[in-house]
Amino acid sequence: MFRYFVRRVLQGVLTFFGATFIVYALMFANQTDPLQTLAGERPLPENVRQALTERYHLDDPFIVQYGHYMRGLLTGDFGISLTNRSIKEMMEQAWPVTVRLALLAIVIAVLISVTSGIISGIRRGGPFDTVTLIITLILLALPIVVLAPLAQLFFGVQLKWFPATAGADPGVYQLLLPAAVLATLVMATEIRVTRASVAENLRSDYVRTARAKGLSKRRVIGVHVLRNSLIPVITLIGLDLGNLMAGAIVTEGVFNIPGVGFNLFRGIRTEDGPLVVGFVSILVIVFIVVNLVVDLLYAVLDPRIRYE
């Protein structure tokens, strides 16, 4: 297990450097004029342009710029955005909001999808299973750019069940509606994976053996079927957590949530390279850590799995 852990950590380090290099190249290699983009239509004084160019090393070769950035990143210095704000301070404000939103969304998605998937897998071909499959098809076909404004209009503006916008420091209640909308990104897939996994394990030899020994249906499903069925579901949930944190751009924009997605969208629009690369670097670390934790959970869920 320890050798596997060390190997995965080394792979994660290589993945981190590779991903940050690609993102940095996409943001900086072919930039037009980020300083003028920031200033808009107003003319930018030459002395200001020169000072900003020296601060962000814009006159250095690309690889030198990347080296300056990585040296600061590895020492905990994320730099200054083009709006002259500390990126570290912006992260300290944005990340807690996005983490709360993503965790709330994953809880909603897991509660609904795992429960529905288990019932659908046990009662495969029944009315509940048919309705569930139809709902998953609708969720898969309905993009979040459509669902988010509709949910805001219907539940926030017309019915007034939830706040239409979350505000600067949203609580659980303010995040409930955007979290439910964000959960639809992964809910349909989790339902289908859970359903297929449960249905497959119900036809396994060990289930027939357990039933032949006289074990109750509740024990067969609760102890034997669910434990093996959760392995692919846990994998999907771990990946979905990172996807929800990275894919909250539309949701945070619609509901005015000052999180990671909101800042990323603003940074991409204004060509604020330091801001985008800083936030994406932390997202890469989140993905790597979540994937490692999910892989280690395999051995806990299934004693047959061992990492040598």
Side-chain angles (χ1 to χ4, degrees), residues 24-243:
Y24 196 91
L26 291 174
M27 286 302 303
F28 286 94
N30 295 315
Q31 273 189 340
T32 54
D33 190 353
L35 301 180
Q36 188 58 54
T37 302
L38 181 65
E41 298 180 356
R42 296 173 300 175
L44 193 64
E46 189 59 33
N47 60 335
V48 176
R49 176 181 291 275
Q50 183 64 29
L52 292 176
T53 300
E54 293 178 1
R55 173 187 291 183
Y56 298 107
H57 308 284
L58 297 179
D59 53 348
D60 292 335
F62 165 72
I63 195 66
V64 176
Q65 295 181 36
Y66 179 72
H68 282 298
Y69 175 75
M70 290 307 300
R71 184 168 62 249
L73 183 64
L74 295 177
T75 57
D77 181 13
F78 292 91
I80 305 295
S81 72
L82 296 183
T83 57
N84 202 30
R85 293 185 59 190
S86 171
I87 297 177
K88 186 175 182 180
E89 292 180 359
M90 297 174 69
M91 287 183 178
E92 291 174 352
Q93 297 173 1
W95 271 102
V97 178
T98 297
V99 168
R100 289 201 302 268
L101 177 64
L103 290 178
L104 189 57
I106 206 70
V107 168
I108 294 172
V110 168
L111 288 177
I112 296 176
S113 60
V114 172
T115 303
S116 302
I118 291 172
I119 298 174
S120 295
I122 295 173
R123 302 177 180 179
R124 192 172 183 179
F128 183 86
D129 183 35
T130 303
V131 172
T132 301
L133 290 178
I134 293 174
I135 293 175
T136 58
L137 286 174
I138 295 173
L139 291 178
L140 288 172
L142 193 62
I144 196 168
V145 294
V146 176
L147 184 60
L150 287 178
Q152 183 186 47
L153 175 64
F154 187 70
F155 294 105
V157 177
Q158 295 183 350
L159 296 180
K160 299 186 184 301
W161 290 356
F162 303 97
T165 57
D169 188 19
V172 175
Y173 178 64
Q174 287 79 15
L175 292 176
L176 197 56
L177 180 59
V181 172
L182 190 60
T184 61
L185 280 175
V186 300
M187 197 180 300
T189 307
E190 290 180 3
I191 290 175
R192 286 178 170 263
V193 170
T194 306
R195 172 185 178 273
S197 183
V198 170
E200 179 182 357
N201 281 287
L202 283 174
R203 297 192 298 266
S204 301
D205 292 336
Y206 69 87
V207 172
R208 287 193 290 269
T209 302
R211 287 173 175 170
K213 289 181 179 181
L215 296 180
S216 64
K217 184 178 180 180
R218 177 177 297 180
R219 182 170 178 79
V220 170
I221 294 175
V223 176
H224 298 282
V225 175
L226 289 186
R227 187 167 186 175
N228 290 306
S229 300
L230 283 177
I231 295 177
V233 179
I234 289 294
T235 305
L236 191 61
I237 291 173
L239 296 175
D240 287 341
L241 180 59
N243 290 332

Side-chain angles (χ1 to χ4, degrees), residues 1-10 292 296 307:
M1 175 71 78
F2 178 74
R3 292 178 60 187
Y4 174 80
F5 176 79
V6 173
R7 186 167 65 249
R8 284 300 307 272
V9 170
L10 293 177
L292 176 60
L296 295 179
Y307 297 114

Side-chain angles (χ1 to χ4, degrees), residues 195-307:
R195 172 185 178 273
S197 183
V198 170
E200 179 182 357
N201 281 287
L202 283 174
R203 297 192 298 266
S204 301
D205 292 336
Y206 69 87
V207 172
R208 287 193 290 269
T209 302
R211 287 173 175 170
K213 289 181 179 181
L215 296 180
S216 64
K217 184 178 180 180
R218 177 177 297 180
R219 182 170 178 79
V220 170
I221 294 175
V223 176
H224 298 282
V225 175
L226 289 186
R227 187 167 186 175
N228 290 306
S229 300
L230 283 177
I231 295 177
V233 179
I234 289 294
T235 305
L236 191 61
I237 291 173
L239 296 175
D240 287 341
L241 180 59
N243 290 332
L244 290 176
M245 296 181 68
I249 294 179
V250 175
T251 306
E252 291 185 354
V254 171
F255 291 95
N256 195 27
I257 302 173
V260 173
F262 184 85
N263 282 277
L264 276 176
F265 176 74
R266 182 174 58 184
I268 293 172
R269 185 181 58 188
T270 59
E271 296 186 20
D272 194 336
L275 177 64
V276 174
V277 178
F279 275 90
V280 172
S281 299
I282 302 300
L283 281 175
V284 171
I285 295 175
V286 170
F287 271 98
I288 293 172
V289 172
V290 168
N291 276 276
L292 176 60
V293 172
V294 167
D295 286 346
L296 295 179
L297 282 177
Y298 284 172
V300 178
L301 293 172
D302 192 344
R304 297 172 297 178
I305 298 177
R306 290 291 181 267
Y307 297 114

